[in-house]
Amino acid sequence: MYLSIALLILVNLVSLVSPVAIPNKRPTPKIDYDTIIIGGGPAGLAALSGLARVRRKALLIDSGEYRNGLTRNMHDVLGHDGVTPADFRHKARGQITTYKTVSFTNGTVTKITPGRSPVSPDTSSFTVTADLNTASGPISKQLTTRKVILATGLIDLVPSTPGLAENWVKGIYWCPWCDGHEHADQPMGLLCDLNDAVGAFREIITLNSDVIAYVNGTDTPEYRALNDAEFPGWEKYLAEHNVKIENRTIVSIKRVKDGSEGGHDPSLPSTAEFDLFDIELANKTDGNDVREIHQRGVFFTSFPSKQRSCLGEETGVYMYSPGRLGVDQNMRTNIDGIYAAGDANSDNSTNVPHAMYSGKRAAVFLHQELSQEDSVWEVKRLLGSKFVKKGTRFQKLDPRLIWRMMNGRSREDDILHAGDFDP
């Protein structure tokens, strides 16, 4: 009887108590995105697609500037051989839009400010400042994110010789894999220094047999000595393949015929393009300026390039020569939480398929890093003071973590401080 009365009292007491909400496993962080991707070319799009597939909340900010933006057609991209770069991006965006956790916006990122996560101070977060293009006009906005992927690309440094910039990627190219097949068996010119002539020719040796290397005044004893040291017999090798060396200065390049006339057959991955250029060469003989005109159908170059954006360097990303964002095999930079993909990074493979691969690889390892951070936080919450003993398999040998542990509490001006992590 006493037990029945006690149970009755307990039931009535429980009915007077308001329901208590069960706390989430993890408090909602005051961060806008899991990841912000900067750059809307193949690398950035591939990264966004990868993150969409695992339902990460990600934003891609696209400045609308692309290294291959002026290229007539993309090639050597399986399933997309022969399409225009704009068509490729349009189709990619359309497919990615079907995934609801990711989004796009047009604009330019002006600053990345590293910080620490408000949920877990041991992990990274960033404030991204951007000028965004909206329907009501441009606005400046600050967004927060746990990780950043830099897919900002490169700019080719085209010399000021008249006709070069005007015809860039329309008969004058830097990538024979991307554009060589369309100009096979046509008179070709190589625009390069003398010490690059052998390497440039070997890349196109199966495409053309009528080749002139325009070395623009670099056929000097110094450059010849470099060639002799790097490739003994280089001159006989080029002569054997009928490659002529032209040392006179190029005054101008003028288009005679547009290879895109007639249009590209969209049913074919590759259609021949018959461009034609006049090359005006300067030559001084007996004090008189004598100029000669050559004709070539296509040019391949070895011009340098630079980062399109200075965001990485300004944020402290280590730069590898020649001006590339340093990454490890998983596309992580030396800055905890920042990844770099595509032409801008230091893996030195600059083509669309590889840009897509590096974007996807960055997405995969970034997702794993986020999951690892979340699992550590959750186990720490569950175990409290009993959190993961040293030496257990739960702890991952993350090189950044080891670096921070070895640095300990030493300050930057401390002789024992080893500096920032450098992959």
Side-chain angles (χ1 to χ4, degrees):
M1 177 178 179
Y2 292 108
L3 179 60
S4 298
I5 294 172
L7 288 172
L8 182 62
I9 293 171
L10 181 60
V11 168
N12 281 281
L13 286 172
V14 170
S15 67
L16 295 173
V17 178
S18 299
V20 178
I22 299 174
N24 293 327
K25 291 183 178 179
R26 182 185 181 101
T28 303
K30 296 178 181 179
I31 295 181
D32 298 320
Y33 297 96
D34 289 326
T35 309
I36 288 179
I37 301 165
I38 305 171
L45 291 168
L48 190 66
S49 176
L51 293 168
R53 293 290 301 169
V54 289
R55 299 203 296 185
R56 287 291 181 188
K57 187 178 181 183
L59 172 69
L60 185 149
I61 302 176
D62 187 355
S63 69
E65 300 170 297
Y66 316 101
R67 189 181 189 188
N68 70 348
L70 297 176
T71 302
R72 288 168 178 160
N73 303 99
M74 290 170 47
H75 295 290
D76 200 21
V77 184
L78 293 178
H80 299 280
D81 201 352
V83 305
T84 66
D87 186 53
F88 172 84
R89 293 191 301 272
H90 175 72
K91 289 180 178 177
R93 276 186 168 228
Q95 291 176 346
I96 296 171
T97 300
T98 62
Y99 297 93
K100 303 307 179 186
T101 63
V102 299
S103 55
F104 305 86
T105 188
N106 296 324
T108 301
V109 174
T110 56
K111 189 176 182 180
I112 302 171
T113 306
R116 308 312 298 174
S117 168
V119 172
S120 180
D122 293 332
T123 61
S124 63
S125 73
F126 302 89
T127 299
V128 173
T129 305
D131 295 328
L132 303 180
N133 302 325
T134 69
S136 57
I139 61 169
S140 182
K141 195 168 184 179
Q142 288 191 330
L143 305 165
T144 54
T145 181
R146 295 173 67 184
K147 307 294 176 188
V148 170
I149 298 178
L150 297 171
T152 44
L154 298 175
I155 296 177
D156 294 293
L157 300 177
V158 181
S160 59
T161 302
L164 273 180
E166 295 88 337
N167 296 297
W168 185 243
V169 297
K170 292 179 173 61
I172 304 177
Y173 308 102
W174 63 273
C175 174
W177 282 270
C178 308
D179 299 286
H181 191 272
E182 288 65 45
H183 296 273
D185 301 319
Q186 299 175 20
M188 175 178 289
L190 300 176
L191 303 178
C192 58
D193 291 341
L194 183 68
N195 63 318
D196 292 326
V198 171
F201 170 68
R202 286 189 298 207
E203 288 190 343
I204 55 89
I205 190 171
T206 55
L207 295 173
N208 301 75
S209 57
D210 179 2
V211 180
I212 300 176
Y214 295 91
V215 299
N216 216 36
T218 61
D219 189 354
T220 64
E222 292 78 14
Y223 276 95
R224 283 180 167 268
L226 285 174
N227 275 7
D228 290 339
E230 295 175 4
F231 188 3
W234 64 272
E235 199 167 7
K236 289 185 177 180
Y237 169 78
L238 292 178
E240 176 70 16
H241 289 278
N242 196 34
V243 179
K244 302 177 179 63
I245 300 293
E246 176 55 71
N247 195 42
R248 285 175 289 182
T249 301
I250 298 175
V251 176
S252 68
I253 296 177
K254 183 179 179 181
R255 179 179 294 279
V256 176
K257 184 180 178 182
D258 187 345
S260 64
E261 290 177 357
H264 171 74
D265 184 347
S267 68
L268 299 174
S270 177
T271 303
E273 298 173 1
F274 296 98
D275 294 279
L276 189 62
F277 299 93
D278 281 344
I279 305 94
E280 186 178 5
L281 300 168
N283 184 29
K284 292 188 176 181
T285 305
D286 297 330
N288 296 316
D289 190 4
V290 179
R291 296 189 175 185
E292 183 178 329
I293 302 295
H294 285 187
Q295 281 198 335
R296 297 280 97 182
V298 62
F299 294 94
F300 285 97
T301 73
S302 60
F303 301 148
S305 57
K306 69 174 184 178
Q307 292 289 319
R308 179 174 293 280
S309 169
C310 56
L311 284 170
E313 188 171 11
E314 288 179 348
T315 310
V317 174
Y318 182 81
M319 306 297 292
Y320 282 97
S321 179
R324 301 293 185 266
L325 301 171
V327 295
D328 64 13
Q329 69 273 20
N330 298 326
M331 311 302 155
R332 299 190 300 183
T333 72
N334 61 302
I335 302 298
D336 189 15
I338 295 184
Y339 291 68
D343 289 6
N345 77 14
S346 61
D347 66 6
N348 288 325
S349 185
T350 54
N351 55 72
V352 171
H354 189 81
M356 295 168 66
Y357 155 80
S358 67
K360 176 60 181 290
R361 189 171 181 88
V364 168
F365 284 91
L366 184 153
H367 168 67
Q368 292 178 350
E369 186 174 21
L370 287 172
S371 297
Q372 181 192 345
E373 291 173 0
D374 289 345
S375 65
V376 170
W377 186 92
E378 290 170 8
V379 172
K380 187 174 182 179
R381 177 184 62 82
L382 292 169
L383 298 183
S385 60
K386 297 179 181 179
F387 175 61
V388 189
K389 295 180 180 179
K390 292 182 180 180
T392 62
R393 292 184 64 188
F394 184 84
Q395 286 182 315
K396 182 181 177 182
L397 294 178
D398 185 340
R400 284 179 176 76
L401 176 61
I402 295 172
W403 191 269
R404 286 197 294 268
M405 291 171 62
M406 295 300 292
N407 257 343
R409 297 181 178 274
S410 59
R411 304 185 311 274
E412 291 187 7
D413 58 349
D414 193 323
I415 192 172
L416 297 178
H417 186 75
D420 295 329
F421 177 79
D422 179 0

